[in-house]
Amino acid sequence: MILVGQYDSPVTRRVAVALHHYGMPFSRDARSIFADAVAIGRISPLTRVPALILDDGEVLIDSTAILDHLDEQAGDRALCPASGPLRRQILQLTALAQGTMEKAVAVIFERKFHPPAHQSAAWLSRCLGQTRAGLDELARRLVGPFACGASLSHADVMITTLIWYLRDRMDEGLSPVAHAPLISLADRCETLPAFQAAAISEFEKTPR
Ligand SMILES: N[C@@H](CCC(=O)N[C@@H](CS)C(=O)NCC(=O)O)C(=O)O
């Protein structure tokens, strides 16, 4: 399998963490969605990452759909049970963290693609508010010791890759006080072998 995408993409990194956690061998295509947009667009029609190229050449897109396939292969080791209330809880918390990432990305892309005079203050303020609301709600819903209880799940992975992204890219949004439980969960997860194996190399950190 080939995982397409750089690890500064929280959704790409969450697939990588799951692959390492499941012990599934894979190689990387770490070309950039910006510098290598044409090449990435040939693999992934929306020019977005992650994509996962399976051994028979089939290309899967979208982290949630990719993980759905990997979880099926992982069986009992899956980071989300196949059914039941815990599955619902994990999927909801993961969706909240993923949605929070999308609102942060909207802020970062507005600033990246528009010079300050052309940026919409109303849009930035809305997206920043949504980012903060997502973080507040995530902090409120954490169960402990992991996000949804006793074991690591996709929710922990998405929260951890999100926190890395926010710390790297935005000076506002993440509060060391209000969001302390999220930060300490992420710091703990970052020490686990699957996260360390998916560490972010210097070359894949987009300059601010
Ligand atoms: N829902 C998708 C989101 C994918 C996504 O937005 N990826 C970003 C990187 S974090 C991307 O490739 N953006 C490039 C673009 O939208 O032009 C997933 O979970 O895989």
Side-chain angles (χ1 to χ4, degrees):
M1 285 186 286
I2 305 170
L3 177 61
V4 182
Q6 299 190 337
Y7 288 170
D8 69 342
S9 154
V11 281
T12 301
R13 189 168 177 236
R14 86 180 183 111
V15 172
V17 169
L19 282 164
H20 284 297
H21 182 81
Y22 297 155
M24 295 175 178
F26 68 102
S27 58
R28 302 270 314 278
D29 178 344
R31 284 178 291 182
S32 159
I33 46 172
F34 293 115
D36 306 301
V38 174
I40 298 292
R42 284 196 195 107
I43 300 167
S44 173
L46 301 175
T47 318
R48 293 202 309 188
V49 293
L52 186 69
I53 308 175
L54 302 183
D55 291 341
D56 66 1
E58 186 185 354
V59 178
L60 307 183
I61 60 161
D62 196 285
S63 61
T64 303
I66 293 169
L67 290 170
D68 183 73
H69 168 70
L70 297 179
D71 287 357
E72 225 174 59
Q73 312 297 309
D76 288 347
R77 285 179 49 72
L79 287 166
C80 186
S83 63
L86 180 59
R87 176 181 174 81
R88 197 164 64 241
Q89 187 190 357
I90 290 169
L91 292 181
Q92 282 299 302
L93 214 65
T94 306
L96 189 57
Q98 201 172 345
T100 303
M101 178 207 83
E102 285 163 10
K103 299 318 298 185
V105 168
V107 171
I108 288 155
F109 279 17
E110 175 76 3
R111 289 173 175 161
K112 178 178 170 69
F113 285 103
H114 294 142
H118 292 251
Q119 289 170 13
S120 164
W123 175 243
L124 282 171
S125 159
R126 180 184 168 91
C127 293
L128 264 172
Q130 289 166 307
T131 305
R132 288 199 189 98
L135 290 167
D136 291 349
E137 184 63 12
L138 282 168
R140 201 184 66 76
R141 286 201 207 174
L142 281 196
V143 174
F146 288 101
C148 294
S151 333
L152 185 78
S153 74
H154 288 309
D156 300 283
V157 183
M158 189 64 238
I159 289 168
T160 300
T161 63
L162 166 70
I163 297 298
W164 179 87
Y165 185 74
L166 293 173
R167 280 165 150 173
D168 189 67
R169 294 295 145 84
M170 283 171 83
D171 295 321
E172 66 278 74
L174 188 66
S175 154
V177 178
H179 307 132
L182 298 173
I183 294 169
S184 88
L185 173 71
D187 285 346
R188 197 154 40 86
C189 286
E190 290 287 8
T191 67
L192 301 175
F195 290 81
Q196 301 230 317
I200 300 127
S201 308
E202 278 310 314
F203 81 90
E204 51 194 338
K205 285 184 192 164
T206 310
R208 272 199 185 201

